[in-house]
Amino acid sequence: MALGLTRRTRAHPVDLEHLAYAAYEFREALIPRRGITPDRCDAAATELRNRALVAEERFFAAAAGLPRRERTLAGHWENAAVMRYRYWLEVFARAEDLGADMLAQLATHRRPSLPALTELCDVCTHARTLDQHQRPEMFGAIPRRATRLLRTATADSADADHGMATGRSCIVDQTELRWRIRRDLTSLLVENP
């Protein structure tokens, strides 16, 4: 095998209680790190950084031998926890809480169901999308006047009928999406008799 990689085997089962404890320890190490700015270089900040790094390594070591579903859960939870506690992005709070609950259930030998894991993936994706809309400059987007005009465009007659005349969000729920599709189809039928 190249680079000293070894083949995975299930000969040594993973201790799920150890994984749940490693996740708890990692979360507890991230929370105090929230107040540390990158320019702070005192001994206390260094100690908190080192503690979080060791806890993160323990968590990844505990998650390494898991089956794919549990590794996916661990990866999504770790991403949400880091974004919430290290970078102060509360948009990831729901994803982090959901992932933490699912990791705690692993300690009782309850595997996450596929719908629950899909929900976690969707919540993480939604949080990333919201973050991109809240901080577009971090992702290389330049706020343009035309974009702002589109977001706050005045209502047309279809909007007035629906009762939502101003300020439509770029992110919509299922009901809003269905309504927009129906409105577009109706306007196409009216324009092209």
Side-chain angles (χ1 to χ4, degrees):
M1 295 245 160
L3 301 174
L5 298 174
T6 58
R7 195 168 66 109
R8 279 175 175 246
T9 63
R10 298 282 181 226
H12 302 289
V14 177
D15 183 11
L16 295 175
E17 290 86 9
H18 179 68
L19 174 72
Y21 179 73
Y24 171 77
E25 185 181 42
F26 181 45
R27 185 182 199 185
E28 292 301 313
L30 281 175
I31 291 172
R33 189 167 173 200
R34 188 176 199 172
I36 298 176
T37 57
D39 58 341
R40 186 171 157 197
C41 296
D42 59 350
T46 304
E47 176 61 32
L48 288 174
R49 282 189 193 103
N50 290 341
R51 182 174 165 230
L53 182 65
V54 168
E56 185 177 29
E57 289 172 356
R58 284 186 191 143
F59 174 72
F60 282 128
L66 292 174
R68 174 178 278 165
R69 189 183 303 176
E70 285 81 2
R71 280 195 324 267
T72 302
L73 164 64
H76 281 300
W77 174 80
E78 185 270 338
N79 179 50
V82 167
M83 296 302 280
R84 179 181 185 185
Y85 296 119
R86 188 179 296 168
Y87 297 110
W88 296 61
L89 298 174
E90 284 301 316
V91 110
F92 287 90
R94 181 168 175 247
E96 194 270 332
D97 291 337
L98 184 63
D101 291 341
M102 292 169 73
L103 281 172
Q105 289 177 2
L106 280 178
T108 62
H109 298 282
R110 290 183 54 206
R111 289 187 75 190
S113 65
L114 286 177
L117 191 59
T118 303
E119 180 186 1
L120 177 64
C121 293
D122 290 344
V123 169
C124 288
T125 302
H126 182 69
R128 278 192 294 272
T129 304
L130 281 177
D131 184 40
Q132 286 178 344
H133 285 286
Q134 289 173 357
R135 303 179 312 137
E137 69 281 354
M138 294 296 293
F139 299 95
I142 300 169
R144 299 185 190 278
R145 184 169 163 14
T147 306
R148 285 193 299 267
L149 289 176
L150 283 176
R151 288 186 186 159
T152 59
T154 57
D156 57 13
S157 62
D159 286 338
D161 292 340
H162 187 59
M164 301 179 84
T166 59
R168 291 201 177 275
S169 171
C170 295
I171 301 170
V172 297
D173 60 4
Q174 196 68 29
T175 308
E176 177 73 10
L177 181 63
R178 273 192 240 114
W179 178 83
R180 287 184 183 186
I181 291 170
R182 223 181 0 233
R183 181 194 65 187
D184 292 343
L185 289 175
T186 304
S187 65
L188 285 173
L189 289 173
V190 170
E191 290 173 6
N192 302 321

